[in-house]
Amino acid sequence: MGQQAALTQETILRIATFVHDHQRRVGLVSPDGLQVTPFELSPEQARHGAQSLIEAIVAGRPLPAPSAAPLAISSVQLESPLPVPRRNVWCVGRNYHAHAKELQASVFKDSHADTKAWPIVFTKVPECVIGPHDDVHLPGAAVSEQIDYEAELAVIIGQGGKNISQAQAMQHVFGYTVVNDVTARDVQMRHQQWDMGKSFDTFCPMGPWIVTADEIDGRQTRVRCWVNGELRQDGPTAHMIFDIPTLIETISRGITLYPGDIIATGTPAGVGMGLNPPRYIAKGDVIRVEIDGVGRIENRFV
Ligand code: MG
């Protein structure tokens, strides 16, 4: 039995999408994080990053063979593991108590929803997703002067389903990745619905890879964010108001979830708008988001 036979769901730990030799590829990251072994995928499969692998694994199909020897991670350009999500990224607002408190006079001021019983759910368009080290483009002062960061754990759905119960929900989690839910605060508040202020081009840095759910429990990890090296956010995911099973149950009520769907689970306290006075992102700022057991992304704002 060769290397191909060893690639089962049990041994998949980290799946990365990357560019090597001018081509998008998908591969397995080595346990030490220093190498990545590309899969043999068609260009069309590779175009969607880890999507076809997620679908194959949840369907019990054999994984593609490795197409080449392991490559040094330092020799490839990491992209979002799902560079073109199949549809909008699901996102959750006001999902950590301390963050809800810091924005209660602004973003959440006019919310009449019963947000104690139900989470706030909005989406970001798929086209705003960028890689873990790509630049985020500030839209210019005429469009927004209040660009902010939100460090978040993102859940990647494996087996799809509708009306998924909390008790079954974790069986539908394929894995996790890191997201910065970059937000134009003035635009977010201006339009009642949040999607516009959340969906500017390049406003969803994601990566550096997907860590599978057998490797880490997203309910028990830690989300941190640094702005130019200064720690701004540091929150345990156990402090979510609506935990991951509740979010999956809620979002799948009457709506089918599909393999590869992404749910950004909300941000801890410490966003720029929550500071006194607020401190929004300026040109040249570098923002790092790190989640224990998953990895880190770091993006410059230009
Ligand atoms: Mg958010």
Side-chain angles (χ1 to χ4, degrees):
M1 302 293 276
Q3 189 175 6
Q4 183 182 358
L7 298 177
T8 65
Q9 183 164 9
E10 286 66 43
T11 57
I12 295 268
L13 302 176
R14 286 181 278 185
I15 301 173
T17 301
F18 57 95
V19 174
H20 178 70
D21 201 15
H22 308 291
Q23 283 192 316
R24 176 172 288 162
R25 295 179 176 278
V26 183
L28 283 187
V29 179
S30 62
D32 61 10
L34 296 178
Q35 293 184 316
V36 60
T37 304
F39 287 111
E40 185 75 55
L41 293 176
S42 71
E44 175 59 17
Q45 288 173 320
R47 193 169 77 81
H48 297 281
Q51 181 70 34
S52 67
L53 284 179
I54 295 170
E55 291 173 0
I57 289 167
V58 301
R61 293 199 299 269
L63 288 168
S67 70
L71 303 165
I73 282 274
S74 59
S75 72
V76 307
Q77 180 197 344
L78 289 171
E79 297 190 286
S80 166
L82 294 166
V84 191
R86 60 188 307 284
R87 60 178 176 179
N88 284 28
V89 178
W90 299 100
C91 301
V92 180
R94 183 154 65 180
N95 202 28
Y96 286 77
H97 293 284
H99 174 62
K101 195 171 179 195
E102 73 179 346
L103 295 191
Q104 65 187 5
S106 53
V107 171
F108 303 124
K109 170 170 60 78
D110 297 321
S111 172
H112 302 297
D114 183 1
T115 51
K116 288 189 174 61
W118 300 98
I120 296 169
V121 181
F122 61 96
T123 69
K124 294 168 89 83
V125 299
E127 293 80 6
C128 70
V129 171
I130 61 170
H133 307 294
D134 292 345
D135 289 343
V136 177
H137 292 267
L138 295 166
V143 176
S144 171
E145 293 184 301
Q146 298 183 354
I147 307 302
D148 207 350
Y149 51 86
E150 295 188 353
E152 307 197 8
L153 174 73
V155 171
I156 311 295
I157 294 295
Q159 192 73 51
K162 183 160 80 172
N163 301 327
I164 298 167
S165 69
Q166 286 186 40
Q168 298 291 318
M170 295 308 287
Q171 296 172 30
H172 292 261
V173 177
F174 179 84
Y176 302 93
T177 193
V178 180
V179 157
N180 186 348
D181 175 18
V182 182
T183 303
R185 294 291 179 204
D186 39 7
V187 178
Q188 177 189 15
M189 291 188 288
R190 180 191 302 156
H191 296 280
Q192 308 296 321
Q193 304 288 317
W194 295 1
D195 298 42
M196 282 190 68
K198 298 280 194 172
S199 291
F200 288 6
D201 294 354
T202 72
F203 269 29
C204 194
M206 187 182 295
W209 38 61
I210 296 171
V211 175
T212 50
D214 52 356
E215 182 73 353
I216 181 194
D217 184 347
R219 296 169 293 186
Q220 301 290 338
T221 185
R222 176 189 190 190
V223 178
R224 284 178 290 174
C225 176
W226 292 260
V227 178
N228 303 325
E230 174 192 344
L231 183 65
R232 294 278 187 90
Q233 296 186 275
D234 185 357
T237 55
H239 286 188
M240 287 183 192
I241 297 172
F242 301 98
D243 64 12
I244 292 168
T246 304
L247 296 177
I248 292 172
E249 180 182 82
T250 302
I251 294 171
S252 72
R253 286 170 67 96
I255 300 176
T256 301
L257 291 178
Y258 295 96
D261 272 344
I262 303 164
I263 303 173
T265 56
T267 199
V271 299
M273 187 182 220
L275 302 173
N276 185 17
R279 294 168 69 183
Y280 294 111
I281 297 171
K283 186 173 143 187
D285 284 351
V286 175
I287 300 196
R288 170 150 61 103
V289 180
E290 184 165 338
I291 299 181
D292 291 357
V294 182
R296 73 170 66 149
I297 63 176
E298 184 169 280
N299 303 85
R300 181 176 298 275
F301 285 68
V302 301

